[in-house]
Amino acid sequence: MTEIVALEALAARVESGQSLAVPVDRSGVAMAATAAIIADGIDNLHLVCVPISGMQADLLIGAGAIKTLETSAVSLGEAGGAPRFGAAVRAGSLTLRDATCPAIHAGLVAAQHGVPFMPIAGIIGSDLLEVRPDWKVIDSPVGEPRKVVVVPAIKPDVALFHAPEADRAGNVRIGRFRELATMAYAARRTLVTVERIVDRNLLETEDSAAGVLPSLYVDAIAVAERGSWPLALWDEYPADEAEIARYTAMARSEDGFRAYLSTFLSHRKQVA
Amino acid sequence: MQSEHERRELLIATIADLLDGIRHVAVGASSPIPAAGAMLLRARNARDGKPPVRISILGSQRHNFFTNGGIELFDCAAQGRVDAFFLGGGQIDGEGNINLVGTGDYPRTDVRWPGSFGSAYLYHLIPRVILFREEHSPRVFVPKVDFVSARATTPEVPRRGGPYALLTNMALFDFDREAGGFALRSVHPPFTPADIRKNTGFDYAEPEVVRETPRPDGATLDLLRGQILDELAETYPAFARSMTQAA
């Protein structure tokens, strides 16, 4: 059964040392829960960005919560490069697992299907194969004889995202952001924050059920209003570009980042 | 002297020409000039009764007809349903290889860029990849990239995808897949072939007579300054505003 809990109780289910899968900015990023995880002092996380991340990854890196970073990119979009990511790479304080977007999707799909690896087109010739010894080039065992890349299954301990609404049974509306479902199928546990909990049954009609992740895959839900802020939540609110630009400027220095983080954490507390 | 505004118009019109004949083009996020080029082609085809053009802009809600999540673009490319795409690079070398990771020795690169995104995969699968990098300098166009995010040619595996052209602030190059290198096609006025040679860190083929990149004609400029800027404003409001103010 999906439990409906307070935001802090949901965040407390993320433990140091776990692997944590999070979605790209446009799909619904659980920023309020990220603040709560940082406030809890969680560290040594293996962050899996599906397939890239922005301010969420940069905040977690700056706060010292990440040991291993598996991603196809970290970027703050229009605001520019991710400053704490850049600083951590220069300092050598992160274990990098550079990837390419479809390889992260393929790894999750392997876990979704319960198989150890997934073949994937392209990639051959890229230096990613040099820095990712867990990716292999094999001779295709079936069909036309050719080389093909295989990537191992990605089975995160926890998948975490934010969505507009869930019903009382724990069914979550994810729209056409199907990668959120893939993350949930692949992960051992899935934690979701939502803007609101609705009384109607989201599975009631074919129309309403089409964009829904069933509660079977959802372990816990917490309400977090404006839970993606300052990032956007689809169909609900746009990104707060001024706030993201303010973060980007402040996070250029370690001191500036600390000042930003402290305000960010207390702001989230006030909202909660 | 060419203004910033005229320079952008020439790039947009050149991209529309490079895309001629395609049915579906995908454009990455934060790429207003490629998006404008794709929209110009679509508008021109509609005007001239040519086949319709589909445009997918990644990260846009409005210009995105996919319903199967983030994986669908990649699947679509693997099925041969994406004809053209744009890639850039912190470094691009004479063999067409691109580096989106950083300079120096991985993993502790001197400068770290965001990462490879989908390049390592899409370069193999999309037939007409247009390399678009506005800065034309020897630090971008290097003899050999420090990290190969995506390799342009791989004789050891069959592929339909790869570089088609390289467009910069100064020039347009064709990519020759057989030879595995670039050939200068045209220079944007007021630059000369000597300017291009001086600012390019890799070797490339050059015809005896190098043409000037044609400026967009009046009908193209009318479309661009009217309909295209309106369409563009939905996804890139700041860029469309700056183009409108300059006009």
Side-chain angles (χ1 to χ4, degrees):
Chain A
M1 282 298 286
T2 308
E3 292 178 69
I4 297 178
V5 300
L7 178 61
E8 284 68 26
L10 178 128
R13 296 187 180 208
V14 177
E15 295 167 24
S16 291
Q18 286 185 324
S19 58
L20 174 67
V22 296
V24 61
D25 286 0
R26 64 174 171 273
S27 304
V29 175
M31 288 298 276
T34 302
I37 289 167
I38 291 172
D40 280 351
I42 297 302
D43 59 15
N44 282 305
L45 292 174
H46 173 160
L47 191 71
V48 180
C49 307
V50 183
I52 62 171
S53 184
M55 185 171 161
Q56 181 185 31
D58 209 56
L59 273 175
L60 285 165
I61 292 166
I66 309 295
K67 180 175 179 232
T68 302
L69 179 67
E70 185 163 356
T71 190
S72 308
V74 183
S75 166
L76 301 182
E78 309 277 60
R84 291 298 96 198
F85 166 60
V89 168
R90 278 191 298 280
S93 56
L94 284 176
T95 302
L96 289 179
R97 288 163 70 88
D98 263 278
T100 183
C101 302
I104 289 183
H105 291 302
L108 291 168
V109 168
Q112 169 184 343
H113 292 318
V115 293
F117 64 85
M118 189 58 56
I120 174 172
I123 303 177
I124 288 170
S126 169
D127 284 348
L128 288 172
L129 286 166
E130 309 293 320
V131 304
R132 290 298 302 265
D134 55 327
W135 295 1
K136 307 285 185 201
V137 180
I138 63 164
D139 292 309
S140 177
V142 292
E144 62 166 310
R146 58 166 299 171
K147 302 271 182 209
V148 65
V149 173
V150 295
V151 298
I154 299 173
K155 208 172 168 56
D157 291 316
V158 178
L160 171 69
F161 64 86
H162 186 69
E165 58 190 24
D167 66 17
R168 302 225 165 260
N171 303 303
V172 178
R173 192 154 68 81
I174 58 168
R176 52 182 176 155
F177 296 94
R178 299 299 310 168
E179 63 269 29
L180 300 174
T182 308
M183 280 165 54
Y185 303 151
R188 293 181 177 85
R189 291 231 161 95
T190 294
L191 309 176
V192 182
T193 58
V194 292
E195 292 292 314
R196 58 193 167 268
I197 293 185
V198 297
D199 287 326
R200 69 180 192 284
N201 173 9
L202 292 179
L203 297 179
E204 186 148 23
T205 67
E206 286 302 314
D207 227 13
S208 72
V212 169
L213 176 68
S215 63
L216 169 66
Y217 305 101
V218 182
D219 295 86
I221 290 173
V223 172
E225 283 178 31
R226 296 191 67 77
S228 282
W229 180 86
L231 301 176
L233 181 60
W234 45 278
D235 287 355
E236 299 278 331
Y237 42 86
D240 184 342
E241 302 289 354
E243 179 69 12
I244 297 168
R246 200 169 74 84
Y247 170 76
T248 312
M250 286 184 75
R252 290 211 177 98
S253 74
E254 176 69 30
D255 288 350
F257 173 79
R258 289 286 148 202
Y260 183 90
L261 186 63
S262 132
T263 320
F264 183 72
L265 297 187
S266 56
H267 171 89
R268 287 296 356 169
K269 267 215 167 67
Q270 282 160 19
V271 174
Chain B
M1 193 57 202
Q2 193 188 32
S3 73
E4 170 75 4
H5 175 69
E6 283 169 332
R7 183 186 64 74
R8 284 175 169 178
E9 287 184 337
L10 180 134
L11 293 176
I12 292 167
T14 304
I15 286 170
D17 291 344
L18 288 170
L19 292 174
D20 192 44
I22 60 107
R23 298 158 303 164
H24 179 194
V25 52
V27 181
S30 346
S31 309
I33 291 176
M39 287 169 176
L40 178 59
L41 176 77
R42 180 171 64 185
R44 213 157 59 183
N45 277 18
R47 182 193 69 191
D48 300 342
K50 285 193 183 169
V53 174
R54 277 184 192 273
I55 304 176
S56 306
I57 299 178
L58 309 186
S60 153
Q61 217 166 338
R62 192 184 295 255
H63 296 280
N64 170 12
F65 49 80
F66 293 128
T67 56
N68 197 29
I71 203 170
E72 189 173 356
L73 166 78
F74 301 108
D75 288 346
C76 196
Q79 295 149 17
R81 296 179 204 268
V82 183
D83 304 312
F85 188 64
F86 301 89
L87 284 173
Q91 291 178 329
I92 298 173
D93 71 24
E95 295 176 357
N97 303 319
I98 63 172
N99 175 4
L100 301 167
V101 165
T103 62
D105 289 330
Y106 186 91
R108 288 182 71 172
T109 40
D110 307 325
V111 176
R112 172 70 207 209
W113 297 314
S116 300
F117 293 94
S119 66
Y121 173 95
L122 294 172
Y123 221 19
H124 275 258
L125 294 162
I126 299 182
R128 213 181 285 194
V129 176
I130 296 168
L131 298 172
F132 178 63
R133 177 71 209 229
E134 291 183 79
E135 177 182 335
H136 193 136
S137 71
R139 71 168 192 167
V140 174
F141 300 114
V142 296
K144 193 175 185 321
V145 294
D146 293 351
F147 187 98
V148 179
S149 286
R151 194 174 291 281
T153 53
T154 46
E156 68 273 29
V157 279
R159 61 192 281 177
R160 78 171 82 87
Y164 175 75
L166 165 64
L167 179 64
T168 77
N169 267 342
M170 296 174 76
L172 172 63
F173 297 83
D174 291 306
F175 187 79
D176 181 338
R177 288 197 199 163
E178 293 285 304
F182 293 100
L184 186 60
R185 188 201 292 193
S186 65
V187 296
H188 315 333
F191 299 111
T192 65
D195 294 329
I196 308 306
R197 193 61 75 181
K198 203 174 106 198
N199 286 283
T200 309
F202 57 71
D203 199 18
Y204 53 87
E206 182 177 327
E208 277 189 26
V209 180
V210 180
R211 291 189 300 130
E212 281 196 348
T213 310
R215 291 181 197 274
D217 61 27
T220 300
L221 286 177
D222 287 346
L223 263 186
L224 184 46
R225 291 172 183 168
Q227 184 185 339
I228 304 309
L229 287 189
D230 288 346
E231 287 179 14
L232 206 58
E234 293 162 5
T235 313
Y236 304 103
F239 180 84
R241 218 166 26 244
S242 76
M243 289 290 284
T244 310
Q245 281 160 0

